[in-house]
């Protein structure tokens, strides 16, 4: 890989992708909304790894941000990591509609448009690919968040099948609970989530890149989560959704579906 575009590259899983790719000698294009944080991440990576780092300030929940990101992706990158994402509070009917719509825009429209923009360059060169960060929530009925991640998995599998044999790979990564800023930003109380379910971002990135290089289309990091996904497939979807809602988080004394 020579140039990788990572969305949501300033924190959590995206920052871990950026560090790992820079450590492997890959030049980077880092995308997020916070300009100061992007510059500081870029400076650190340049001085630690000697790679070239470009920054793109873009809010993927806006048309303007999507256009800027799409344009950079179309200019040519060898690896696209569609990682930017967020969670939010509340049940479907309680959550503000604009937040639900932003979820669809950042998790689905951005993934679709950036993949569409980036693939032609990769296909011309017969190498590279796209890693789409979904979630284990893709496998259970769990609000708009889970539905958006289910779309990411299905979309990734579909595009991977369309371009099979081209030398270009598409992988959806489905992590469980990961220690990042995600839950704090969404004001989710995750105190009830057992410690054995937590993963480090580096563990997710290692598994994602390993599976990507092996041509795996849906990557579930760690054996424990592979078992959970396997068990989930064995129980009726309705029961799985009920269990998932119980392993949740609370706000204002009320249990809400937490989002891994
Ligand atoms: N943490 C988990 O338990 C977990 C589990 C499964 C899947 N995931 C998925 O993993 C991905 C990364 O999450 P994370 O846990 O690493 O979260 P995080 O630590 O909160 O980092 C989110 C990153 O995305 C950027 N971002 C957020 N909204 C954006 C927007 N509208 N436009 C552009 N950039 C935006 C943030 O930077 P700015 O704020 O500067 O824009 C930040 O760099 C998400 O897709 C999430 O759904 C997370």
């Amino acid at each position: 890989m020579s140039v990788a575009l990572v969305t949501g590259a300033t924190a959590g899983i995206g920052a871990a992708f950026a560090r790992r790719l820079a450590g492997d000698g890959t030049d980077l294009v880092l995308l997020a909304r916070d300009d100061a944080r992007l510059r500081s991440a870029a400076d650190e990576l340049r001085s630690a790894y000697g790679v070239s780092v470009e920054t793109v300030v873009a809010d993927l929940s806006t048309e303007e941000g999507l256009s800027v990101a799409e344009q950079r992706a179309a200019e040519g990158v060898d690896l696209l990591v569609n990682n930017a994402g967020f969670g939010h509070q509340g049940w479907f009917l309680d959550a503000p509609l604009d937040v639900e719509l932003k979820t669809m825009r950042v998790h689905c429209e951005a993934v679709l448009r950036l993949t569409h923009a980036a693939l032609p360059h990769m296909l011309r060169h017969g190498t590279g690919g796209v890693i789409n960060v979904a979630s284990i929530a893709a496998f259970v009925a769990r609000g708009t968040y889970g539905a958006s991640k289910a779309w990411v998995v299905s979309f990734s599998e579909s595009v991977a099948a369309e371009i099979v044999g081209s030398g270009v790979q598409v992988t959806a990564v489905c992590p469980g609970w990961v220690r990042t800023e995600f839950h704090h930003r969404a004001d989710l109380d995750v105190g009830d989530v057992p410690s054995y379910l937590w993963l480090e971002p580096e563990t997710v990135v290692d598994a994602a890149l390993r599976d990507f290089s092996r041509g795996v289309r849906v990557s579930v990091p760690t054996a424990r989560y592979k078992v959970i996904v396997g068990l989930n497939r064995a129980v009726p979807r309705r029961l799985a959704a009920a269990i998932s809602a119980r392993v949740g988080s609370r706000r204002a004394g009320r249990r809400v579906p937490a989002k891994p």
Side-chain angles (χ1 to χ4, degrees), residues 16-183:
F17 263 111
R19 280 193 301 276
R20 166 66 194 277
L21 290 165
D24 292 345
T26 308
D27 291 335
L28 293 169
V29 183
L30 308 181
L31 183 148
R33 291 167 300 184
D34 184 332
D35 190 18
R37 211 169 163 187
L38 269 174
R39 284 166 192 265
S40 139
D43 286 345
E44 273 175 38
L45 293 168
R46 278 186 207 109
S47 65
Y49 302 104
V51 293
S52 142
V53 187
E54 193 185 321
T55 58
V56 177
V57 181
D59 181 345
L60 296 175
S61 71
T62 67
E63 178 54 38
E64 190 192 354
L66 283 167
S67 298
V68 168
E70 207 172 19
Q71 200 177 319
R72 181 57 191 90
E75 283 167 18
V77 293
D78 305 292
L79 175 69
L80 167 65
V81 182
N82 280 311
N83 162 78
F86 64 99
H88 66 273
Q89 290 282 340
W91 302 100
F92 174 61
L93 286 178
D94 298 338
L97 196 54
D98 72 308
V99 177
E100 299 276 321
L101 291 169
K102 273 186 183 176
T103 301
M104 298 302 291
R105 210 155 203 204
V106 177
H107 294 177
C108 303
E109 186 175 346
V111 171
L112 186 154
R113 287 174 61 170
L114 296 194
T115 302
H116 193 268
L119 277 178
H121 168 92
M122 297 171 185
L123 291 168
R124 269 197 304 278
H125 292 84
T127 184
V130 182
I131 296 177
N132 291 325
V133 180
S135 167
I136 200 164
F139 304 116
V140 285
R142 187 179 235 181
T144 302
Y145 180 86
S148 72
K149 295 301 190 180
W151 180 89
V152 172
V153 172
S154 179
F155 169 75
S156 305
E157 285 184 290
S158 161
V159 178
E162 277 185 34
I163 62 171
V164 72
S166 67
V168 178
Q169 172 64 28
V170 180
T171 295
V173 183
C174 301
W177 303 91
V178 191
R179 290 186 207 282
T180 68
E181 298 174 14
F182 179 97
H183 306 97

Side-chain angles (χ1 to χ4, degrees), residues 2 5 47 60 84 230 247 252:
S2 45
L5 166 56
S47 65
L60 296 175
V247 186

